[in-house]
Amino acid sequence: METLACNFHSVTFNLSKFSNSLFSKFPLHQVRYSITPATTLSLRMTHSHSSQNPVIEQQRVIIPNKHGEKLVGLLHETGSKEIVILCHGFRSTKADRTMVNLAVALEKEGISAFRFDFAGNGESEGSFEFGNYSKEADDLHSVIQHFCEANRIVCAILGHSKGGDVVLLYASKYHDIHTVVNVSGRYDLKKGIEERFGKDFMDRIQDGFVDIKNKKGVEYRVTKESLMERLSLDMHEACLKIPRECRVLTVHGSADEIIPVGDALEVAKIIPNHKLHIVEGTVHAE
């Protein structure tokens, strides 16, 4: 079994039929490398692109969200006016292999990319919360506003796993981005709770919260309020609110053991301007 992060090279269909701009050159087929994320403030790298050798610079960027929390990200600057925003999944960060691989693949196409930590994750300020889908969509809005004010064109937003739900929610709430890529997002947010936390979880959380522990102690806390926020989100209703002029691509692994491929099929039934690609034999890769 390969992970979805390592098997994007299977996505070799003609994306130009789906879009005349970004998707015609969206480099999903290149996302198959293991890249170590940069830890320095600025790292310059050289990649070949056609007959040229553009210099790529990774810049640490700090953007305040509407709550005043600092969101920390890395800009893969190629000099392009267009930029793609990458959104990580649950208990993940901008340093996740999927995020790094996508950013590097976009670099090779000469497209700038920005990967960042949602509030309460990675280097960003704020407290981690289990649900937080709506707040993360607002974090994404803050990021997009930052680059628009810097005279950049945010040509696409891409989210993996929980990030896939966030970009769909964003498209349903803010109608300013016309290309959205949902990678392994969940359609039914009521599912996955028992699988992750146990069948008695709903009974245990009635006291107000449950601490999720690992070998080192408490890993994170799930509050009843944050759980209810997730359970109250209706992705079907959200997808119906995505305007027709917004192009949505869903990519999902056929052997996804975390979020079944059936979720991608449900999303495909609802969104009018939608393209679905199933990557055979691949799992989730959180």
Side-chain angles (χ1 to χ4, degrees), residues 237-267:
E237 186 67 25
C239 289
L240 288 175
K241 293 179 181 178
I242 297 175
R244 181 174 289 275
E245 58 268 24
C246 180
R247 302 175 297 273
V248 180
L249 169 66
T250 292
V251 182
H252 212 104
S254 67
D256 193 320
E257 76 290 9
I258 305 295
I259 301 174
V261 69
D263 283 42
L265 300 177
E266 291 300 320
V267 168

Side-chain angles (χ1 to χ4, degrees), residues 9 19 41 74 80 85 124 135 138 173 177 192 203 206 227 231 243-244 255 276-277:
H9 65 285
S19 166
L41 182 63
L74 281 175
S80 68
I85 309 298
S124 291
K135 185 182 177 186
D138 290 340
K173 182 177 180 180
I177 300 297
D203 294 328
Q206 294 307 313
L227 177 63
L231 295 178
R244 181 174 289 275
L276 172 64
H277 185 75

